[in-house]
Amino acid sequence: MSRPTLKDIAEATGYSVSTVSRALADSAQISERTRHRIHEVSRRLGYQADPIGSLLRTPRPRVIGLLCVLGQELHVVYRDHLLAEAESRNLRVVTESIGPFRTAVDAVSNLRQLRCQALVVIDPATAAGADPGLLDGAVVIGQERGIPGADLVTSDNTRGMDQLVAHLASLGHRRLVYVDSVPGASAAARLRSFTRAADHAGISYRVVAGGADIDAGLAAVAPLLGEGGPLSPGAADRHTGVVCYNDQCAQGAIIAILRAGLRPGTDISVAGVDNSRLASSSAFDLTSIDRCPGQVARLAVDLAEARIESGTSSGPLQTLTVDTSLVARSSTGPAPQ
Amino acid sequence: MSRPTLKDIAEATGYSVSTVSRALADSAQISERTRHRIHEVSRRLGYQADPIGSLLRTPRPRVIGLLCVLGQELHVVYRDHLLAEAESRNLRVVTESIGPFRTAVDAVSNLRQLRCQALVVIDPATAAGADPGLLDGAVVIGQERGIPGADLVTSDNTRGMDQLVAHLASLGHRRLVYVDSVPGASAAARLRSFTRAADHAGISYRVVAGGADIDAGLAAVAPLLGEGGPLSPGAADRHTGVVCYNDQCAQGAIIAILRAGLRPGTDISVAGVDNSRLASSSAFDLTSIDRCPGQVARLAVDLAEARIESGTSSGPLQTLTVDTSLVARSSTGPAPQ
DNA sequence: GTGAAAGCGCTAACAA
DNA sequence: TTGTTAGCGCTTTCAC
């Protein structure tokens, strides 16, 4: 036989289909005995509810749509956590990824079609250009409020940056370079946290334009390493550390430093943000700021669930904040004399 | 109003629901006029078939399940292509990703639950340990036949490796190091292609144990760079190039070379396999072998579609092969004297 | 060519 | 506490 249905269980137990349905949903109005018996038979037959059937019937099914960019490692990490968290609360997640063959508009329309009652969007910069209103009522992860009509779960860089700057200061660094990203809410927020922390710690710094990928980091740092550049060992105002917008940018910085014949962590310290997989590789062993994706995911599911239960569009917009924290590795070390 | 249904179109046109359904499915038994009229109204109302409804009713819905590891960049690339290809043939794809919170068994059971009529598995090494028989009747991408009961779409490394070795030979390289991966079908196949090509070109080589990630590449190559090592410039039997199992491994090799104070592409040439995103970054600019994921995806969808149409389990197992090809970049250059 | 009706697997309003 | 009935949106007989 193919997969057993409610009907099969009903026949096996002698109860009606609806009773079986209620029993398996742990409805309060079913007697303990029946409930037990039905559960048992269901287990014995290997019953698994067919989501298609219930989706079709349920007015507000517990389905969260996730819009992300699977090409970005951090998004995949968030997704893993989101799925685990959602599953533990009996919520489904359906994922759409923006990519070379999929626009944000297509993705969202697909999600709506699949009856998603709430929408979680990771880092909507990619999607923002599209339709204003496209992401209304969504739960946004990862930025300052870029989407006016959406809830927000954001990382507060303050704590992580404070820890990072304190860490560098305690290692004797007095002058740092900050590699910024392209203009945007996210870049502005991180830069602000950095300058605040540096000012506070009495560290002087220099901000240079960079970007969010490895090439940008390379291009930003390479010129600073040349004769007389602020990162060159012989410079009068020698800067001994580089803090980057994110890990990928920091990887570019490390490559630049290596190419210049210098040693990251010894001649120049480098740090990033995101605590990505490559950061923990021994090849880079990059000091980074962790954004606690597990916690972020949990809060995002909280908000999404609330929206599902309250009928998606109502209620005042919320902003939840998750603290970041430093993960120190060997890419940062004592400042050279 | 919420999304229009067949019923809405039926009422708007005066036809019955069944006629509308048939017309939109371009059934032959509907008159040209009606068909046109119904299509037009449907467009005007912005009708989109609800997949849940049709899924529920259709005995063998055109749904492909995809099992992959979204944490791996190449898998995401394959997935993008698979989705595009499937969509163009009116096939749905539902993705499950093996990850920290999801085992292969769970993933497959989820896919079956969603009525997938065919299963595409990318690089099943991760899933293989599970159940023998779990992946019976699947279409496997990317290895030698690891799964006995499955169709296979594989990359033939021959052409790419031949091109790579010829490329290196023409640059004057006579002795190469090959960094192998952990034992397995995939590693064996690539090594074989390499040795064949090298033997053929009269290139001598040395094989060292490595792995599939950046740390493995670093760990494998670093020791060879020391005083008297085969990659050190002063060695009597100096090896001037490194061919790696994949791009990530090659990145580790490049880091090792940079750390040793040497220049990739000048002092030592490095090449990888996969033509990943990082390979094309200016930071690595890595010569690599492209596996034509678009073409692989197309063939995989071909096989999956055939399985759907023929009732999933019948027919002899097929193996389709896609040629690889060289992408030369600056990580390979003339052999030093 | 078209319509009426049944039913995919499930849930929920209403009865009992 | 349980059963009956209706119906989610769709496809597919079976009639006409």
Side-chain angles (χ1 to χ4, degrees):
Chain A
M1 188 177 68
S2 84
R3 291 205 1 231
T5 72
L6 282 189
K7 204 167 136 204
D8 298 318
I9 303 185
E11 280 162 7
T13 55
Y15 287 103
S16 75
V17 171
S18 14
T19 301
V20 174
S21 171
R22 278 182 289 230
L24 292 177
D26 288 323
S27 156
Q29 33 176 317
I30 297 287
S31 80
E32 192 58 18
R33 271 192 70 256
T34 344
R35 223 178 53 76
H36 247 86
R37 170 135 177 65
I38 290 180
H39 265 104
E40 192 187 302
V41 172
S42 131
R43 207 170 323 111
R44 190 159 50 70
L45 297 184
Y47 173 79
Q48 304 232 88
D50 183 335
I52 308 284
S54 55
L55 236 47
L56 185 53
R57 185 63 240 219
T58 311
R60 283 196 281 102
R62 297 171 59 78
V63 180
I64 297 176
L66 172 62
L67 181 61
C68 62
V69 182
L70 292 176
Q72 292 184 214
E73 183 202 322
L74 186 61
H75 289 209
V76 175
V77 173
Y78 276 129
R79 178 178 177 276
D80 284 339
H81 286 281
L82 282 164
L83 262 68
E85 186 63 34
E87 209 144 286
S88 76
R89 308 190 203 182
N90 193 28
L91 284 158
R92 295 204 145 249
V93 176
V94 4
T95 306
E96 276 283 333
S97 168
I98 301 175
F101 310 117
R102 179 72 100 242
T103 69
V105 179
D106 292 346
V108 171
S109 117
N110 274 2
L111 290 175
R112 301 253 181 249
Q113 203 162 349
L114 289 165
R115 284 187 167 50
C116 297
Q117 300 300 299
L119 188 58
V120 174
V121 185
I122 305 179
D123 192 5
T126 332
D131 232 337
L134 184 72
L135 303 181
D136 261 16
V139 176
V140 166
I141 287 182
Q143 293 216 151
E144 305 261 294
R145 186 178 307 290
I147 308 292
D151 283 338
L152 180 67
V153 182
T154 188
S155 299
D156 182 355
N157 307 291
T158 310
R159 183 154 145 244
M161 277 293 188
D162 285 351
Q163 290 177 340
L164 172 59
V165 170
H167 165 73
L168 289 169
S170 78
L171 287 168
H173 297 267
R174 291 294 168 259
R175 276 188 283 264
L176 300 176
V177 168
Y178 181 86
V179 182
D180 198 6
S181 183
V182 291
S186 165
R190 283 188 205 172
L191 174 58
R192 204 180 323 119
S193 307
F194 170 77
T195 57
R196 211 195 61 96
D199 289 342
H200 200 262
I203 297 281
S204 83
Y205 53 84
R206 184 169 164 156
V207 177
V208 301
D213 60 26
I214 191 167
D215 284 348
L218 177 69
V221 168
L224 309 180
L225 291 159
E227 198 62 45
L231 287 173
S232 75
D237 66 334
R238 178 173 183 188
H239 289 56
T240 56
V242 180
V243 175
C244 297
Y245 167 77
N246 71 4
D247 285 357
Q248 309 198 47
C249 179
Q251 283 155 33
I254 286 181
I255 301 280
I257 290 165
L258 286 170
R259 280 202 197 161
L262 298 170
R263 292 157 301 170
T266 305
D267 299 315
I268 303 177
S269 287
V270 180
V273 175
D274 283 352
N275 195 22
S276 61
R277 195 168 20 172
L278 241 48
S280 66
S281 73
S282 67
F284 287 102
D285 204 40
L286 180 67
T287 292
S288 189
I289 294 178
D290 190 89
R291 297 170 65 185
C292 306
Q295 212 184 330
V296 170
R298 195 162 50 71
L299 295 179
V301 174
D302 280 345
L303 292 176
E305 190 175 21
R307 278 188 179 269
I308 288 179
E309 279 164 2
S310 75
T312 195
S313 56
S314 71
L317 294 182
Q318 302 215 43
T319 297
L320 303 180
T321 300
V322 174
D323 270 346
T324 54
S325 73
L326 182 69
V327 180
R329 298 200 181 88
S330 69
S331 73
T332 47
Q337 296 317 312
Chain B
M1 189 178 66
S2 83
R3 291 205 2 232
T5 72
L6 282 189
K7 203 167 136 205
D8 298 318
I9 303 186
E11 279 162 8
T13 55
Y15 287 103
S16 73
V17 172
S18 12
T19 302
V20 173
S21 172
R22 278 183 286 233
L24 291 178
D26 288 324
S27 155
Q29 34 176 317
I30 297 288
S31 82
E32 192 56 18
R33 271 192 71 254
T34 347
R35 223 177 52 76
H36 246 86
R37 170 135 179 63
I38 290 180
H39 265 104
E40 192 186 302
V41 172
S42 132
R43 208 170 320 114
R44 190 159 52 70
L45 296 184
Y47 172 78
Q48 305 232 88
D50 182 336
I52 309 283
S54 55
L55 236 49
L56 185 53
R57 189 61 241 232
T58 311
R60 283 195 281 104
R62 297 171 58 79
V63 180
I64 298 176
L66 173 62
L67 180 62
C68 61
V69 182
L70 291 176
Q72 294 185 213
E73 183 204 323
L74 187 59
H75 289 208
V76 175
V77 173
Y78 276 129
R79 177 179 177 275
D80 284 339
H81 286 281
L82 282 163
L83 261 69
E85 186 63 34
E87 209 144 287
S88 75
R89 308 190 201 181
N90 193 29
L91 284 159
R92 295 204 144 249
V93 175
V94 3
T95 306
E96 276 283 335
S97 169
I98 300 175
F101 310 117
R102 178 73 101 243
T103 68
V105 179
D106 291 347
V108 171
S109 114
N110 275 1
L111 290 175
R112 302 250 181 250
Q113 205 162 345
L114 289 164
R115 283 187 167 49
C116 296
Q117 300 299 301
L119 188 57
V120 174
V121 185
I122 305 180
D123 193 3
T126 332
D131 232 337
L134 184 72
L135 302 182
D136 261 16
V139 176
V140 166
I141 288 182
Q143 292 215 149
E144 304 261 296
R145 185 178 309 289
I147 309 292
D151 283 337
L152 179 67
V153 181
T154 188
S155 298
D156 182 355
N157 307 291
T158 310
R159 183 155 144 242
M161 278 293 187
D162 285 350
Q163 291 177 340
L164 172 58
V165 170
H167 165 73
L168 289 169
S170 78
L171 288 167
H173 297 268
R174 293 294 167 258
R175 276 190 282 265
L176 300 175
V177 167
Y178 182 86
V179 182
D180 199 6
S181 183
V182 291
S186 165
R190 284 188 204 172
L191 174 57
R192 204 179 324 119
S193 307
F194 171 76
T195 56
R196 211 195 59 98
D199 289 340
H200 199 261
I203 298 281
S204 81
Y205 53 84
R206 185 168 163 156
V207 177
V208 301
D213 60 25
I214 191 166
D215 284 348
L218 178 67
V221 167
L224 309 181
L225 291 159
E227 197 65 43
L231 287 172
S232 75
D237 65 334
R238 178 172 182 190
H239 289 56
T240 56
V242 180
V243 174
C244 297
Y245 168 76
N246 71 4
D247 285 357
Q248 309 197 47
C249 180
Q251 285 156 31
I254 286 181
I255 301 280
I257 289 166
L258 286 169
R259 281 201 196 160
L262 298 171
R263 292 157 300 171
T266 305
D267 299 315
I268 303 176
S269 287
V270 179
V273 176
D274 283 352
N275 195 22
S276 62
R277 194 165 23 170
L278 241 50
S280 68
S281 73
S282 66
F284 287 101
D285 204 40
L286 180 67
T287 293
S288 190
I289 294 178
D290 190 89
R291 295 169 66 185
C292 306
Q295 210 184 331
V296 170
R298 195 159 51 71
L299 295 179
V301 175
D302 279 345
L303 292 176
E305 191 175 20
R307 277 188 179 270
I308 289 180
E309 279 164 2
S310 75
T312 195
S313 56
S314 72
L317 294 183
Q318 301 214 42
T319 297
L320 303 181
T321 301
V322 174
D323 270 345
T324 53
S325 73
L326 182 70
V327 181
R329 298 200 181 88
S330 69
S331 72
T332 46
Q337 296 318 314

Short mmCIF file of all heavy atoms in Angstrom, two decimals, chain A residues 282-283, chain B residues 177 179 206 208-210 213-233 242 244 249-262 268 270:
data_model
loop_
_atom_site.label_atom_id
_atom_site.label_comp_id
_atom_site.label_asym_id
_atom_site.label_seq_id
_atom_site.Cartn_x
_atom_site.Cartn_y
_atom_site.Cartn_z
N SER A 282 41.84 27.16 9.54
CA SER A 282 43.19 27.46 10.01
C SER A 282 43.93 28.31 8.99
O SER A 282 44.91 28.96 9.31
CB SER A 282 43.95 26.17 10.30
OG SER A 282 44.17 25.47 9.09
N ALA A 283 43.45 28.31 7.76
CA ALA A 283 44.11 29.11 6.73
C ALA A 283 43.98 30.60 7.04
O ALA A 283 44.92 31.37 6.88
CB ALA A 283 43.52 28.81 5.36
N VAL B 177 52.94 18.77 -8.52
CA VAL B 177 52.41 18.10 -7.33
C VAL B 177 50.90 17.99 -7.50
O VAL B 177 50.26 18.95 -7.93
CB VAL B 177 52.74 18.90 -6.06
CG1 VAL B 177 51.94 18.38 -4.87
CG2 VAL B 177 54.23 18.84 -5.76
N VAL B 179 47.52 17.39 -5.32
CA VAL B 179 46.98 17.26 -3.97
C VAL B 179 45.66 16.50 -4.05
O VAL B 179 44.66 17.01 -4.56
CB VAL B 179 46.77 18.63 -3.30
CG1 VAL B 179 46.25 18.44 -1.88
CG2 VAL B 179 48.06 19.43 -3.30
N ARG B 206 54.05 14.12 -8.39
CA ARG B 206 54.12 13.57 -7.05
C ARG B 206 52.75 13.78 -6.43
O ARG B 206 52.22 14.89 -6.48
CB ARG B 206 55.17 14.38 -6.31
CG ARG B 206 55.45 13.87 -4.97
CD ARG B 206 56.70 14.56 -4.45
NE ARG B 206 56.70 14.36 -3.02
CZ ARG B 206 57.77 14.40 -2.27
NH1 ARG B 206 58.94 14.66 -2.83
NH2 ARG B 206 57.69 14.19 -0.98
N VAL B 208 50.26 13.94 -3.21
CA VAL B 208 50.24 14.03 -1.75
C VAL B 208 48.80 13.99 -1.25
O VAL B 208 47.87 14.37 -1.96
CB VAL B 208 50.92 15.32 -1.24
CG1 VAL B 208 52.36 15.38 -1.70
CG2 VAL B 208 50.15 16.55 -1.68
N ALA B 209 48.63 13.55 -0.03
CA ALA B 209 47.29 13.47 0.56
C ALA B 209 46.83 14.87 0.94
O ALA B 209 47.60 15.67 1.46
CB ALA B 209 47.31 12.58 1.79
N GLY B 210 45.57 15.15 0.68
CA GLY B 210 45.03 16.47 1.01
C GLY B 210 43.61 16.35 1.50
O GLY B 210 43.34 15.65 2.46
N ASP B 213 38.90 20.76 1.47
CA ASP B 213 38.71 22.13 1.95
C ASP B 213 40.02 22.89 2.09
O ASP B 213 41.10 22.36 1.88
CB ASP B 213 37.93 22.13 3.27
CG ASP B 213 38.67 21.37 4.35
OD1 ASP B 213 39.91 21.26 4.27
OD2 ASP B 213 37.99 20.87 5.28
N ILE B 214 39.86 24.13 2.43
CA ILE B 214 41.01 25.04 2.41
C ILE B 214 42.08 24.61 3.41
O ILE B 214 43.28 24.69 3.13
CB ILE B 214 40.52 26.49 2.66
CG1 ILE B 214 41.63 27.50 2.40
CG2 ILE B 214 39.94 26.65 4.05
CD1 ILE B 214 41.11 28.93 2.30
N ASP B 215 41.65 24.11 4.53
CA ASP B 215 42.63 23.69 5.53
C ASP B 215 43.45 22.50 5.05
O ASP B 215 44.65 22.41 5.29
CB ASP B 215 41.93 23.34 6.85
CG ASP B 215 41.52 24.59 7.59
OD1 ASP B 215 41.98 25.68 7.20
OD2 ASP B 215 40.73 24.49 8.55
N ALA B 216 42.76 21.60 4.37
CA ALA B 216 43.46 20.43 3.85
C ALA B 216 44.52 20.86 2.83
O ALA B 216 45.64 20.33 2.82
CB ALA B 216 42.47 19.47 3.21
N GLY B 217 44.16 21.81 1.99
CA GLY B 217 45.11 22.29 0.99
C GLY B 217 46.32 22.94 1.65
O GLY B 217 47.47 22.73 1.26
N LEU B 218 46.02 23.72 2.66
CA LEU B 218 47.11 24.39 3.39
C LEU B 218 48.02 23.36 4.05
O LEU B 218 49.24 23.40 3.92
CB LEU B 218 46.49 25.30 4.46
CG LEU B 218 47.44 26.05 5.38
CD1 LEU B 218 48.22 27.08 4.60
CD2 LEU B 218 46.67 26.72 6.51
N ALA B 219 47.40 22.42 4.72
CA ALA B 219 48.19 21.42 5.46
C ALA B 219 49.00 20.54 4.51
O ALA B 219 50.09 20.09 4.86
CB ALA B 219 47.26 20.56 6.31
N ALA B 220 48.45 20.31 3.33
CA ALA B 220 49.16 19.43 2.40
C ALA B 220 50.35 20.13 1.77
O ALA B 220 51.40 19.52 1.55
CB ALA B 220 48.20 18.95 1.31
N VAL B 221 50.19 21.40 1.46
CA VAL B 221 51.21 22.09 0.67
C VAL B 221 52.30 22.72 1.55
O VAL B 221 53.47 22.75 1.16
CB VAL B 221 50.54 23.14 -0.24
CG1 VAL B 221 51.57 24.09 -0.85
CG2 VAL B 221 49.75 22.43 -1.34
N ALA B 222 51.90 23.21 2.71
CA ALA B 222 52.88 23.92 3.55
C ALA B 222 54.18 23.12 3.76
O ALA B 222 55.28 23.68 3.58
CB ALA B 222 52.24 24.30 4.88
N PRO B 223 54.07 21.85 4.10
CA PRO B 223 55.32 21.11 4.37
C PRO B 223 56.22 20.96 3.14
O PRO B 223 57.42 20.77 3.29
CB PRO B 223 54.83 19.73 4.83
CG PRO B 223 53.36 19.80 4.96
CD PRO B 223 52.88 21.04 4.33
N LEU B 224 55.61 21.03 1.97
CA LEU B 224 56.40 20.83 0.75
C LEU B 224 57.23 22.06 0.40
O LEU B 224 58.07 22.04 -0.49
CB LEU B 224 55.48 20.50 -0.43
CG LEU B 224 54.47 19.38 -0.21
CD1 LEU B 224 53.66 19.16 -1.47
CD2 LEU B 224 55.21 18.10 0.18
N LEU B 225 56.92 23.18 1.09
CA LEU B 225 57.56 24.44 0.73
C LEU B 225 58.83 24.69 1.53
O LEU B 225 59.61 25.59 1.21
CB LEU B 225 56.57 25.60 0.98
CG LEU B 225 55.38 25.64 0.03
CD1 LEU B 225 54.24 26.44 0.62
CD2 LEU B 225 55.81 26.23 -1.31
N GLY B 226 59.03 23.90 2.57
CA GLY B 226 60.18 24.12 3.45
C GLY B 226 61.49 23.80 2.75
O GLY B 226 61.52 23.24 1.65
N GLU B 227 62.55 24.17 3.40
CA GLU B 227 63.91 23.92 2.91
C GLU B 227 64.03 22.52 2.30
O GLU B 227 63.81 21.51 2.98
CB GLU B 227 64.87 24.05 4.11
CG GLU B 227 66.33 24.22 3.72
CD GLU B 227 66.54 25.54 2.98
OE1 GLU B 227 65.97 26.59 3.42
OE2 GLU B 227 67.22 25.53 1.96
N GLY B 228 64.38 22.45 1.05
CA GLY B 228 64.59 21.16 0.42
C GLY B 228 63.33 20.44 0.00
O GLY B 228 63.39 19.40 -0.66
N GLY B 229 62.16 20.97 0.36
CA GLY B 229 60.91 20.36 -0.07
C GLY B 229 60.76 20.48 -1.58
O GLY B 229 61.37 21.35 -2.20
N PRO B 230 59.93 19.61 -2.16
CA PRO B 230 59.84 19.58 -3.63
C PRO B 230 59.29 20.88 -4.23
O PRO B 230 59.50 21.12 -5.41
CB PRO B 230 58.88 18.41 -3.89
CG PRO B 230 58.17 18.17 -2.60
CD PRO B 230 59.10 18.58 -1.52
N LEU B 231 58.63 21.69 -3.43
CA LEU B 231 58.12 22.96 -3.98
C LEU B 231 59.03 24.13 -3.65
O LEU B 231 58.76 25.26 -4.06
CB LEU B 231 56.70 23.23 -3.44
CG LEU B 231 55.58 22.36 -4.02
CD1 LEU B 231 54.28 22.60 -3.27
CD2 LEU B 231 55.39 22.63 -5.50
N SER B 232 60.07 23.90 -2.92
CA SER B 232 60.95 25.02 -2.57
C SER B 232 61.82 25.37 -3.77
O SER B 232 62.27 24.48 -4.50
CB SER B 232 61.81 24.66 -1.36
OG SER B 232 62.83 23.79 -1.75
N PRO B 233 62.03 26.64 -4.00
CA PRO B 233 62.77 27.08 -5.18
C PRO B 233 64.16 26.48 -5.29
O PRO B 233 64.67 26.28 -6.38
CB PRO B 233 62.85 28.61 -4.99
CG PRO B 233 61.67 28.94 -4.14
CD PRO B 233 61.50 27.77 -3.22
N VAL B 242 51.17 23.09 -8.78
CA VAL B 242 50.34 22.28 -7.90
C VAL B 242 48.94 22.17 -8.50
O VAL B 242 48.30 23.20 -8.76
CB VAL B 242 50.24 22.91 -6.50
CG1 VAL B 242 49.38 22.05 -5.59
CG2 VAL B 242 51.62 23.12 -5.89
N CYS B 244 45.20 20.76 -7.68
CA CYS B 244 44.48 20.35 -6.48
C CYS B 244 43.15 19.68 -6.82
O CYS B 244 42.53 19.98 -7.84
CB CYS B 244 44.20 21.56 -5.59
SG CYS B 244 45.71 22.33 -5.00
N CYS B 249 40.64 23.44 -1.90
CA CYS B 249 41.94 22.89 -1.60
C CYS B 249 43.03 23.77 -2.21
O CYS B 249 44.05 24.07 -1.58
CB CYS B 249 42.00 21.47 -2.16
SG CYS B 249 43.54 20.61 -1.91
N ALA B 250 42.78 24.22 -3.42
CA ALA B 250 43.75 25.08 -4.11
C ALA B 250 43.92 26.41 -3.38
O ALA B 250 45.01 26.99 -3.35
CB ALA B 250 43.31 25.32 -5.55
N GLN B 251 42.85 26.90 -2.81
CA GLN B 251 42.96 28.15 -2.04
C GLN B 251 43.88 27.96 -0.85
O GLN B 251 44.68 28.83 -0.51
CB GLN B 251 41.58 28.62 -1.59
CG GLN B 251 40.78 29.23 -2.73
CD GLN B 251 39.29 29.17 -2.47
OE1 GLN B 251 38.85 29.22 -1.32
NE2 GLN B 251 38.52 29.04 -3.52
N GLY B 252 43.77 26.82 -0.22
CA GLY B 252 44.68 26.52 0.88
C GLY B 252 46.12 26.49 0.39
O GLY B 252 47.03 27.00 1.05
N ALA B 253 46.30 25.90 -0.79
CA ALA B 253 47.64 25.84 -1.36
C ALA B 253 48.18 27.26 -1.59
O ALA B 253 49.34 27.56 -1.29
CB ALA B 253 47.61 25.07 -2.67
N ILE B 254 47.31 28.13 -2.09
CA ILE B 254 47.75 29.50 -2.37
C ILE B 254 48.13 30.22 -1.08
O ILE B 254 49.14 30.93 -1.01
CB ILE B 254 46.65 30.25 -3.14
CG1 ILE B 254 46.61 29.74 -4.58
CG2 ILE B 254 46.87 31.76 -3.09
CD1 ILE B 254 45.59 30.40 -5.46
N ILE B 255 47.32 30.02 -0.06
CA ILE B 255 47.65 30.65 1.22
C ILE B 255 49.00 30.15 1.73
O ILE B 255 49.84 30.91 2.20
CB ILE B 255 46.56 30.34 2.27
CG1 ILE B 255 45.19 30.83 1.82
CG2 ILE B 255 46.93 30.94 3.62
CD1 ILE B 255 44.93 32.28 1.99
N ALA B 256 49.21 28.86 1.59
CA ALA B 256 50.48 28.29 2.04
C ALA B 256 51.64 28.92 1.29
O ALA B 256 52.68 29.28 1.87
CB ALA B 256 50.47 26.78 1.84
N ILE B 257 51.47 29.07 0.00
CA ILE B 257 52.54 29.64 -0.84
C ILE B 257 52.81 31.09 -0.44
O ILE B 257 53.96 31.51 -0.31
CB ILE B 257 52.14 29.53 -2.33
CG1 ILE B 257 52.20 28.06 -2.76
CG2 ILE B 257 53.04 30.39 -3.20
CD1 ILE B 257 51.51 27.77 -4.09
N LEU B 258 51.72 31.84 -0.25
CA LEU B 258 51.89 33.24 0.16
C LEU B 258 52.59 33.32 1.51
O LEU B 258 53.48 34.15 1.71
CB LEU B 258 50.52 33.92 0.24
CG LEU B 258 49.85 34.26 -1.09
CD1 LEU B 258 48.41 34.68 -0.87
CD2 LEU B 258 50.62 35.35 -1.82
N ARG B 259 52.19 32.47 2.42
CA ARG B 259 52.82 32.50 3.74
C ARG B 259 54.30 32.18 3.67
O ARG B 259 55.07 32.64 4.52
CB ARG B 259 52.14 31.48 4.65
CG ARG B 259 50.82 31.95 5.20
CD ARG B 259 50.52 31.13 6.45
NE ARG B 259 49.13 31.25 6.84
CZ ARG B 259 48.52 30.38 7.63
NH1 ARG B 259 49.17 29.31 8.08
NH2 ARG B 259 47.26 30.56 7.97
N ALA B 260 54.65 31.38 2.69
CA ALA B 260 56.07 31.02 2.55
C ALA B 260 56.84 32.14 1.85
O ALA B 260 58.03 31.99 1.57
CB ALA B 260 56.20 29.72 1.78
N GLY B 261 56.14 33.21 1.54
CA GLY B 261 56.82 34.33 0.90
C GLY B 261 57.00 34.17 -0.59
O GLY B 261 57.77 34.88 -1.22
N LEU B 262 56.27 33.23 -1.18
CA LEU B 262 56.37 33.02 -2.63
C LEU B 262 55.13 33.57 -3.32
O LEU B 262 54.12 33.86 -2.68
CB LEU B 262 56.53 31.52 -2.91
CG LEU B 262 57.80 30.89 -2.32
CD1 LEU B 262 57.77 29.38 -2.45
CD2 LEU B 262 59.04 31.48 -2.99
N ILE B 268 55.21 29.56 -8.11
CA ILE B 268 54.55 28.26 -8.18
C ILE B 268 53.18 28.45 -8.80
O ILE B 268 52.42 29.33 -8.40
CB ILE B 268 54.37 27.64 -6.77
CG1 ILE B 268 55.73 27.51 -6.06
CG2 ILE B 268 53.67 26.29 -6.85
CD1 ILE B 268 55.64 26.99 -4.64
N VAL B 270 49.31 27.25 -9.52
CA VAL B 270 48.30 26.49 -8.78
C VAL B 270 47.02 26.40 -9.61
O VAL B 270 46.60 27.39 -10.22
CB VAL B 270 47.97 27.15 -7.43
CG1 VAL B 270 46.91 26.35 -6.68
CG2 VAL B 270 49.22 27.31 -6.57
#
